[in-house]
Amino acid sequence: MVGAACAYYACLSGLRVTVIDRGPVAGGTTGAGEGNLLVSDKEPGPELELALLSTQLWRDLAARLPARIEYERKGGLVVASTEADLIALRDFAAGQRRAGVEAAEVPADGLAALEPHLAPGLAGGFHYPQDAQVQPALAAAHLLRAATATGRLTLRLGEEVTAVLAEPGGQVLGVRTLAGDAKAPHVVNATGTWGGRLARLAGVDLPVLPRRGFVLVTEPLPRVVRHKVYSADYVADVASGSAGLQTSAVVEGTPAGPVLIGASRERVGFDRRLSVEALRRLADQATRLFPALAEVRAIRTYAGFRPYLPDHLPAIGPDPRAPGLLHACGHEGAGIGLAPATGLLIAGMLTGREPPLAVRPFAPERFAGQVAAG
């Protein structure tokens, strides 16, 4: 998704772009995502600024791209089980409002109006009308299709990059694949969880690590869940750097009918084996939020790897250690939502335009000397 957005905005800027992917479109983390476009889970700071810009860009893209991308401005609902949790949410939302986020407190007796099937006895919550959702694989495919329509995009699928071509002084000249070289004055590393590997091919370290997550998918249902609904502890899990298993219920309906249930996080390398414990926790937490789901069948599950960086901010921009190399990776679980702003920033950097927000916090060289481990 991030690579597709970079290609799209670069083509709109008048650049000629070659997209190289070792698999099919959305064959990696993008195809395993829920399509979250969130501001509700982000504290004030650089990532929230990026998310707010992306929120505007997604609305524009939804008007330009076919309805089949399943863009929904459904809004988010964050709920608190206890009064202490609600107070913490209130403080969190106050800071977000000052940064430009729309957040409205919902008292306990007002939750049912937003989500009739929500469990009783909750202390309250906050409604975030800016939260939205998209079908990520479709969105990535249609972005690439729109970029192709400009006449400036070449798409090379099923080709793995085996080397980054560079002059003796380190200036990047392109990449090598088994199918042949692709020469270019700039290479954008939008390889997600594998961003550290491509960086190493260019002779630099970027400590990207995979953080595995599972999603449970139910049988198709009438619209049981109207918003993206999650509990207050999800925000803490997103910000955590723990390598151990963490689960916090995130429940949402889809236009096609199935309910998606996440979210789990754990650093286990690229181990794709199914974790029964993670799925058991997700099911238990989801049914506590929505008791009606206890009678519903889960028909499948899938796993993906979030590209994790130690400070929870993506790497976006040129890498001075390898002139000509730019990074656009490390967005962890927010890559779908942050993709448009990332693509716009990368296109601007390639063409010398003034960025719409501060980019220094995303500078890849902030990790100089750090090596991924764990």
Side-chain angles (χ1 to χ4, degrees):
M1 184 70 235
V2 173
C6 290
Y8 174 78
Y9 286 106
C11 286
L12 289 187
S13 298
L15 301 176
R16 299 196 66 83
V17 179
T18 298
V19 171
I20 299 175
D21 198 310
R22 68 180 179 182
V25 173
T29 298
T30 292
E34 293 179 71
N36 295 333
L37 316 178
L38 304 184
V39 297
S40 57
D41 62 342
K42 296 170 179 62
E43 64 183 15
E47 188 183 26
L48 180 56
E49 292 177 19
L50 202 64
L52 287 169
L53 175 58
S54 272
T55 295
Q56 299 171 16
L57 294 173
W58 267 119
R59 291 175 184 173
D60 178 62
L61 289 172
R64 294 170 179 263
L65 300 179
R68 291 190 300 276
I69 69 170
E70 296 182 12
Y71 174 78
E72 276 194 289
R73 291 180 61 181
K74 63 170 63 177
L77 180 62
V78 188
V79 296
S81 300
T82 67
E83 190 62 31
D85 287 340
L86 185 60
I87 292 171
L89 284 181
R90 192 176 292 141
D91 291 341
F92 188 69
Q96 290 177 307
R97 285 198 197 98
R98 289 191 291 270
V101 173
E102 299 172 34
E105 184 166 353
V106 183
D109 59 5
L111 292 173
L114 292 174
E115 290 290 347
H117 298 280
L118 201 58
L122 295 168
F126 275 81
H127 178 228
Y128 289 86
Q130 291 161 299
D131 281 359
Q133 185 181 17
V134 73
Q135 212 295 340
L138 290 175
H142 282 295
L143 272 179
L144 289 174
R145 180 174 293 178
T148 301
T150 67
R152 301 187 184 96
L153 179 71
T154 300
L155 191 58
R156 293 168 55 170
L157 301 178
E159 295 186 36
E160 183 170 357
V161 171
T162 58
V164 174
L165 307 175
E167 294 178 341
Q171 177 68 43
V172 167
L173 299 174
V175 298
R176 174 162 293 155
T177 78
L178 294 178
D181 293 351
K183 298 291 185 66
H186 300 283
V187 170
V188 178
N189 174 15
T191 56
T193 310
W194 295 268
R197 174 186 174 277
L198 191 135
R200 287 191 294 276
L201 292 179
V204 299
D205 289 323
L206 194 68
V208 180
L209 291 170
R211 205 177 187 191
R212 187 177 69 183
F214 290 96
V215 175
L216 271 173
V217 184
T218 76
E219 60 187 315
L221 302 169
R223 204 61 186 254
V224 174
V225 185
R226 300 176 179 179
H227 303 78
K228 175 178 288 294
V229 182
Y230 61 86
S231 53
D233 54 355
Y234 173 78
V235 177
D237 283 358
V238 169
S240 168
S242 171
L245 175 63
Q246 296 173 303
T247 59
S248 46
V250 181
V251 187
E252 62 189 311
T254 64
V259 172
L260 306 181
I261 300 170
S264 67
R265 285 174 165 77
E266 56 186 328
R267 294 213 310 269
V268 291
F270 287 99
D271 185 350
R272 286 191 174 274
R273 287 177 296 179
L274 185 145
S275 168
V276 174
E277 174 61 17
L279 298 179
R280 183 195 65 76
R281 289 194 199 179
L282 291 177
D284 178 63
Q285 292 169 349
T287 54
R288 273 188 272 151
L289 275 181
F290 290 92
L293 292 178
E295 307 301 320
V296 171
R297 290 179 299 174
I299 58 174
R300 68 185 181 96
T301 184
Y302 56 88
F305 298 103
R306 302 176 182 88
Y308 165 87
L309 280 169
D311 62 1
H312 301 283
L313 291 178
I316 304 172
D319 194 323
R321 300 168 295 178
L325 176 67
L326 294 88
H327 298 289
C329 59
H331 298 72
E332 200 166 337
I336 306 302
L338 301 179
T342 300
L344 187 70
L345 289 178
I346 290 292
M349 292 168 181
L350 290 170
T351 55
R353 293 199 308 270
E354 189 69 23
L357 49 77
V359 296
R360 184 65 190 169
F362 310 113
E365 67 268 25
R366 71 187 190 272
F367 296 111
Q370 295 187 38
V371 179

